[in-house]
Coordinates of all heavy atoms in Angstrom, one line a residue:
Chain T
K262 N 199.7 52.4 160.0 CA 199.5 52.7 158.6 C 198.1 52.3 158.2 O 197.6 53.0 157.2 CB 200.5 51.8 157.8 CG 201.9 52.0 158.1 CD 202.4 53.2 157.3 CE 203.9 53.4 157.5 NZ 204.3 54.7 157.4
E392 N 205.2 46.6 152.3 CA 205.8 47.2 151.1 C 206.3 48.6 151.3 O 207.4 49.0 150.9 CB 204.8 47.2 149.9 CG 204.8 46.0 149.1 CD 203.6 46.0 148.1 OE1 203.3 47.2 147.6 OE2 203.1 45.0 147.8
L393 N 205.4 49.4 152.0 CA 205.8 50.8 152.2 C 206.9 50.9 153.2 O 207.8 51.7 153.0 CB 204.5 51.5 152.7 CG 203.4 51.7 151.8 CD1 202.2 52.3 152.4 CD2 203.8 52.5 150.6
V394 N 206.9 50.0 154.2 CA 208.0 50.1 155.3 C 209.3 49.7 154.7 O 210.3 50.3 155.0 CB 207.6 49.2 156.5 CG1 208.8 49.0 157.4 CG2 206.5 49.9 157.3
A395 N 209.3 48.7 153.8 CA 210.6 48.2 153.3 C 211.4 49.2 152.5 O 212.6 49.1 152.4 CB 210.3 47.0 152.3
E396 N 210.7 50.3 152.0 CA 211.4 51.3 151.2 C 212.2 52.3 152.1 O 212.9 53.1 151.6 CB 210.4 52.0 150.3 CG 210.0 51.1 149.2 CD 209.4 51.9 148.0 OE1 209.1 53.1 148.2 OE2 209.4 51.4 146.9
N397 N 211.8 52.3 153.3 CA 212.5 53.3 154.2 C 213.8 52.7 154.7 O 213.8 52.0 155.7 CB 211.6 53.7 155.4 CG 210.4 54.5 154.9 OD1 210.5 55.3 153.9 ND2 209.3 54.4 155.5
R398 N 214.9 53.0 154.0 CA 216.2 52.4 154.4 C 217.0 53.4 155.0 O 216.8 54.6 154.8 CB 216.8 51.8 153.1 CG 216.0 50.7 152.5 CD 216.6 50.1 151.3 NE 218.0 49.6 151.6 CZ 218.8 49.1 150.7 NH1 218.5 49.2 149.4 NH2 220.0 48.7 151.0
G399 N 218.0 53.0 155.7 CA 219.0 53.9 156.2 C 218.8 54.2 157.7 O 219.5 55.0 158.3
E400 N 217.8 53.5 158.3 CA 217.6 53.8 159.8 C 218.8 53.5 160.6 O 219.1 54.3 161.5 CB 216.4 52.9 160.3 CG 215.0 53.3 159.7 CD 214.6 54.7 160.3 OE1 215.0 55.1 161.4 OE2 213.7 55.3 159.6
K421 N 217.8 62.5 156.5 CA 216.9 61.5 156.1 C 216.8 61.5 154.5 O 216.7 60.4 153.9 CB 215.5 61.8 156.7 CG 214.5 60.7 156.5 CD 213.2 60.9 157.2 CE 212.3 59.7 156.8 NZ 211.0 59.8 157.3
Q425 N 217.8 58.4 152.0 CA 216.8 57.9 151.0 C 217.4 57.9 149.6 O 217.4 56.9 148.9 CB 215.6 58.8 150.9 CG 214.5 58.4 151.8 CD 213.3 59.4 151.8 OE1 213.3 60.3 150.9 NE2 212.4 59.3 152.7
Chain X
P551 N 210.2 57.0 147.8 CA 211.5 57.4 148.4 C 212.7 56.6 147.8 O 213.8 57.0 148.0 CB 211.3 57.1 149.9 CG 210.1 56.2 149.9 CD 209.3 56.4 148.7

Side-chain angles (χ1 to χ4, degrees):
Chain T
K262 302 275 183 211
E392 270 174 32
L393 293 174
V394 163
E396 287 201 341
N397 290 326
R398 295 179 64 186
E400 287 291 337
K421 188 173 177 188
Q425 271 176 9

